[in-house]
Amino acid sequence: MPRGNAPQTKVHYQGKDEDFVIYVDGSKAVQDWKKDRSIPLAQVVSGFKIFVTHKHGAQSVGDEASKSTLENEFGTHNEDECMIKILEGGNVQDTESGERQGPKNDSMGTRSAH
């Protein structure tokens, strides 16, 4: 299987001043969590990082959100609480990246003719 075409699921939350994205383990994991809040966030969220897209929408993943950005949007800088709000109010998006194309090794290493 070629690299780069693994499915990714993210939750996009459009805030007042910024757009936020978190990566999750799948849309089913989010649906199950919404039905049963006793499921730990670690079984839903894929990496405990919140990204901010600087109002460039869901397709643009920018920088990790700063504590002040989280505080301004969610009223707290506690990442777990912010993730819960993103999961509750965000849109789940399943994407699959295309296979990486392009030259693998132009010089052919030591195999090139001399």
Side-chain angles (χ1 to χ4, degrees):
M1 184 162 151
R3 296 179 301 158
N5 60 346
Q8 287 186 334
T9 305
K10 59 186 171 183
V11 178
H12 173 252
Y13 178 89
Q14 188 168 359
K16 298 177 299 217
D17 300 319
E18 295 285 355
D19 290 358
F20 298 88
V21 171
I22 59 172
Y23 289 93
V24 293
D25 290 337
S27 55
K28 183 174 179 353
V30 175
Q31 291 170 355
D32 292 345
W33 177 83
K34 286 183 176 181
K35 292 176 189 170
D36 180 8
R37 294 295 176 94
S38 68
I39 296 172
L41 278 180
Q43 293 182 6
V44 180
V45 177
S46 177
F48 278 82
K49 290 199 184 284
I50 302 172
F51 296 95
V52 62
T53 65
H54 305 292
K55 290 303 238 183
H56 290 192
Q59 301 308 314
S60 170
V61 174
D63 306 316
E64 189 174 349
S66 68
K67 289 186 179 194
S68 63
T69 303
L70 296 175
E71 186 76 41
N72 289 340
E73 182 66 39
F74 301 107
T76 181
H77 63 269
N78 181 307
E79 290 186 356
D80 288 353
E81 292 178 28
C82 294
M83 285 185 188
I84 289 171
K85 291 180 181 182
I86 292 171
L87 288 169
E88 289 172 341
N91 299 318
V92 179
Q93 299 177 347
D94 291 311
T95 60
E96 186 166 325
S97 303
E99 178 182 345
R100 295 181 195 161
Q101 299 293 326
K104 305 290 188 268
N105 185 359
D106 289 334
S107 72
M108 299 299 284
T110 59
R111 298 185 304 180
S112 63
H114 293 271

